[in-house]
Amino acid sequence: MSRNEQKISVEGHQLTLSNLEKVFYPETGTTKAEVLDYYARIAPYLIRHTHDRIVTRKRWVDGVGTPDNPGKVFFEKGLPDYVPDWLPSRTIEHSNGPKQYPLLQDQATITYLVQLAALELHIPQWQVGSHSSDTGTISSDERYPDRMVFDLDPGEGRKLSDCIEVAHLIRELLNGMGLDAYPLTSGSKGVHLYAPLDGSATSQQISDVAHELARSLESDHPELIVSAMKKSLRKNKVFIDWSQNSAAKTTIAPYSLRGTFTPTVATPRTWDEFDRPEDVEQLRFEEVLERVEDLGDLLEPLAQSAGQADTSAAEMVEDPLELYRSKRDPKRTSEPMPTSHTTGSQQLSFVIQEHHASTLHWDFRLEHDGVLASWALPKGPPTSPKQNRLAVQTEDHPLEYGTFEGIIPKGEYGGGEVTIWDTGIYELEKWRQGQEIIATLHGQPDGGLGGGIKKFALFNTGTSGPNKDPEKNWMIHLMEETKGSSSEQDGSQTTSSQDTKADPVDIAPMLASIGNVASVRRQADDWAFEMKWDGIRAIAMVVAATKDSPGAVTLTSRNGKDMTATYPELAELAQCVEVDCVVDGEIVAMGSSSRPDFGRLQRRMGLTKARDVEHERAKTPVYLMTFDLLRVQDESLLRTPYTQRRQRLLDSVTESQHIYVPQAFDGTLDEAMDSSRDLQLEGVMAKQHGSVYQPGHRTKTWLKLKHTSTRDVLVVGWRAGSGGRSDTFSSLLLAAHGDDGLVYMGRVGTGFDEHQLHTLSTKLNSLSRKTPPVEVPTADRRDANWVRPNLVGEVRFTGITEAGRLRHPVWRGLRADIDPDEVTI
């Protein structure tokens, strides 16, 4: 043997180690011997997550080098011919033929691979034994992942803390799907996030789900997130790499070293660590060994629950016709019952069917993604652009339903006669899933549309109505055949007559207390339930429009500030009433899923200059959710019971493009809470049937029943940012008024988008002071800058620590409608 070689026995296998003094990481002087020692000590934890998985390797035979002279890397998939017979392996079928891969089952295999300078060990999300026998070749249709992975990579201008912010967003989505989420710092630049699956769906199906989740988050947070693979789009964004769920892709194994210039490791982390993202760093192998001694394997629950997830992976892969089939018995109805949905033709089809069921309605169906997306129109398609009509979305129907006519037996779902009212092809102009559709229909010469070409717009109201699920409630609008002005097309009224002016609103809004679901449930018959809208409160004084005047609307916030100029589109409320009145409601901005998004509303709040308002209005329109009527002409309704006020509201206010009159929820409290949770709303408002309106008072007759806790806070300082936040801040220091002055409540560093970061920075600079306005612990005073406690914000949090600090706070936005003196412990 050479003096540079050493024979060792590992688990009964003889191995020859060579060049143990070779430096693999020049910047730290880490040798091959130290790398082998690390892998030997970490093997029990590593193998737990690599067992029954093939492994691909990245090899640096001459070390990783330095930034000025990086080492050459070899990416190795299959096994060479000279491997020892004892090394476990499995053959995988590829399009270009079979290839043999090692399985990382034991320490001997790890030692053998590391001796060959394999620093990085990569594994897929599926195991070889999950849907196949223990021998033979694994084909592409036998790869069923038992976990889902997201690789979060910071683009130029972003950093690790931004990846952690995105990880929290993904965690919320996964938790909402019934999946746990386990984070790792990747050892390179970003974060990996794993969720256990039960192995019932294919890699392609899971990859599709992960892709849709990433696209959804990108749509909600376009300033922060990108999901497209194109590298040129990643500047100032966090890239969510969903593609590693593909059967052909692999991800760095947990506890594997990285081929970076320092020996960092893909390390499991806790969510508590991620609650302070600015303090999180990539960890070196020495730190990881100390962590596993103290904490054990933080990723052990993933290894234990993979293949046994509470949520079926197959359940996540949606069959668009599942609901359709579940409602019909093929033995009793002649409706088409295909076993699966099919791919449509080149031309998109539509059908409108007249349906004489328990109530007469028209079924409006558009071909989309291989099915007929369907809406029930109680009054049929609109015949004039001046009147929108209700469209209740129903389950998708098979394309074969486009030619169906017949009688559905009495007692069956939809029982009654169905005839085709009109049918043909359509041209699609816009399809924003769950939000808005614009389509031009070409009907039959003798069809119900009159033989012409009709353009319809369908838009989701996001409000409750005849259907219990607000997501299903849409409106359908017949668009003008000739072009008009932009204001005519969007239905907005942004100016009011100089001769007409609403009086200032002199009514402060009635406020609700935090309620308890259990206590309300016990007396459920005494309460009505409404969805809790995620916006800001507004009292509207309305002068009704007449044929000679457009009317006027004055909007006042809960702290008495005039907001009329900030939200000019809500002036159309004057067109929605026939008499002067005072209305209570909530101003909201809609997110990408047609749900109220308080973060988006921040872009409009506080704007007063007409040019700024119009510029932002084009990107972020707002809507008024009306829920109470306080005065009609000279008649005060303040002492009128709630149920009577609600009915008067429904009778007095009609809906329009920006004005909605949501119905009270028709169902139990638990159903209301479930619906609110499904819609990703804050919660439910419970209001006693006989309650009167008490202006300016926080009462027990109105209760807020929330899914998570939120509270108002005062900003008392900020800490300097770095990297992508070097020109703004890393976190805000928070407080509230106590009995003896301000009380410190901790700091918040997540939840900010780019607009909020820069807007807040400007405001903070104008409020600067030299000394802290509240006693702050030394650890949080580091690099702190102090401000006068004039800014009110809102945070979401999970609890209060024994020290009185907010647990896991997430910033929601500024509250200009709340006075600083109102923010108390």
Side-chain angles (χ1 to χ4, degrees), residues 3-6 17-26 29-36 61-63 115:
R3 285 184 299 177
N4 291 327
E5 294 183 347
Q6 177 180 334
L17 306 182
S18 62
N19 300 313
L20 295 178
E21 298 305 316
K22 177 183 284 187
V23 176
F24 273 176
Y25 294 89
T30 305
T31 65
K32 183 177 183 179
E34 290 176 292
V35 169
L36 283 164
V61 294
D62 295 317
Q115 158 61 24

Side-chain angles (χ1 to χ4, degrees), residues 41 83 132 243 295 336 444 446 674 698 722 730 753 796 800:
R41 294 167 63 185
V83 298
S132 61
S243 69
L295 304 175
Q444 301 301 314
D446 58 348
D674 289 343
R698 189 175 298 278
S722 60
S730 65
D753 61 25
R796 183 175 70 247
I800 303 288

Side-chain angles (χ1 to χ4, degrees), residues 6 57 69 82 87 112 116 151 215 288 290 318 330 343 353 370 374 438 527 529 542 551 607 609 643 704 721 775:
Q6 177 180 334
R57 292 85 64 206
N69 185 28
Y82 52 78
L87 193 144
Y112 178 83
L116 299 177
D151 180 3
R215 283 191 297 198
V288 173
E290 291 177 359
E318 192 173 352
T343 302
Q353 289 157 317
S374 301
I438 299 178
W527 299 86
F529 306 113
V542 189
L607 299 179
K609 295 181 180 179
T643 50
K704 293 181 286 189
E775 185 66 30

Side-chain angles (χ1 to χ4, degrees), residues 45-65:
Y45 306 98
L46 173 65
I47 292 169
R48 185 178 290 148
H49 305 289
T50 61
H51 197 271
D52 280 348
R53 300 181 198 272
I54 63 170
V55 58
T56 59
R57 292 85 64 206
K58 282 188 176 181
R59 299 171 58 213
W60 281 265
V61 294
D62 295 317
V64 300

Side-chain angles (χ1 to χ4, degrees), residues 804-816:
R805 310 289 186 259
L806 297 172
R807 191 185 302 278
H808 310 152
V810 177
W811 183 259
R812 285 176 45 77
L814 284 174
R815 296 304 303 253

Side-chain angles (χ1 to χ4, degrees), residues 166-460:
V166 175
H168 280 292
L169 296 173
I170 296 176
R171 182 194 188 191
E172 289 183 9
L173 285 181
L174 293 174
N175 289 168
M177 298 167 63
L179 297 174
D180 293 324
Y182 299 91
L184 297 83
T185 43
S186 68
S188 179
K189 295 185 294 183
V191 167
H192 290 167
L193 203 62
Y194 286 99
L197 304 174
D198 67 351
S200 63
T202 66
S203 292
Q204 183 59 56
Q205 291 172 322
I206 297 304
S207 184
D208 290 343
V209 172
H211 191 187
E212 188 57 38
L213 287 178
R215 283 191 297 198
S216 173
L217 285 171
E218 178 184 17
S219 179
D220 287 344
H221 306 274
E223 75 293 336
L224 175 63
I225 294 171
V226 63
S227 64
M229 292 293 169
K230 195 173 182 181
K231 290 187 177 181
S232 61
L233 300 176
R234 300 180 191 176
K235 186 175 182 180
N236 292 321
K237 304 287 181 68
V238 172
F239 170 50
I240 301 181
D241 186 356
W242 47 270
S243 69
Q244 293 182 34
N245 295 284
S246 168
K249 294 288 189 73
T250 57
T251 306
I252 190 79
Y255 299 109
S256 171
L257 278 163
R258 298 303 298 251
T260 49
F261 296 119
T262 56
T264 51
V265 173
T267 310
R269 309 301 288 257
T270 69
W271 285 109
D272 284 342
E273 290 179 283
F274 274 17
D275 285 333
R276 291 181 177 269
E278 65 273 17
D279 296 335
V280 178
E281 298 177 344
Q282 302 291 347
L283 297 180
R284 288 174 40 160
F285 73 94
E286 305 99 322
E287 299 171 289
V288 173
L289 289 172
E290 291 177 359
R291 283 172 64 90
V292 295
E293 286 185 9
D294 294 338
L295 304 175
D297 179 14
L298 294 175
L299 212 58
E300 183 175 6
L302 175 69
Q304 292 178 340
S305 56
Q308 303 174 13
D310 292 337
T311 298
S312 166
E315 289 175 1
M316 296 191 300
V317 183
E318 192 173 352
D319 175 5
L321 295 179
E322 181 180 0
L323 184 58
Y324 171 87
R325 296 190 193 93
S326 70
K327 293 185 173 184
R328 292 162 175 84
D329 183 352
K331 297 178 181 179
R332 292 183 53 81
T333 179
S334 59
E335 294 168 280
M337 202 70 62
T339 57
S340 63
H341 72 288
T342 58
T343 302
S345 60
Q346 292 292 324
Q347 290 186 313
L348 297 172
S349 64
F350 83 91
V351 64
I352 304 174
Q353 289 157 317
E354 186 172 329
H355 192 168
H356 292 262
S358 56
T359 58
L360 172 64
H361 62 275
W362 284 258
D363 293 317
F364 187 93
R365 312 192 196 279
L366 300 176
E367 178 182 339
H368 183 67
D369 283 350
V371 296
L372 290 173
S374 301
W375 292 262
L377 313 183
K379 296 184 178 180
T383 57
S384 168
K386 297 180 179 179
Q387 178 64 57
N388 296 335
R389 289 186 174 174
L390 179 67
V392 179
Q393 190 171 27
T394 60
E395 71 277 9
D396 292 334
H397 282 54
L399 292 180
E400 292 85 345
Y401 214 97
T403 58
F404 174 72
E405 288 185 301
I407 296 178
I408 302 173
K410 185 177 180 179
E412 292 300 298
Y413 176 76
E417 184 178 9
V418 177
T419 59
I420 294 177
W421 189 75
D422 209 340
T423 187
I425 61 173
Y426 78 91
E427 299 160 4
L428 180 63
E429 181 174 323
K430 181 185 294 187
W431 193 295
R432 296 173 61 205
Q433 190 67 33
Q435 298 179 67
E436 180 186 13
I437 299 164
I438 299 178
T440 301
L441 276 57
H442 298 258
Q444 301 301 314
D446 58 348
L449 295 176
I453 301 173
K454 304 290 184 183
K455 179 185 281 192
F456 291 94
L458 291 117
F459 54 93
N460 181 268

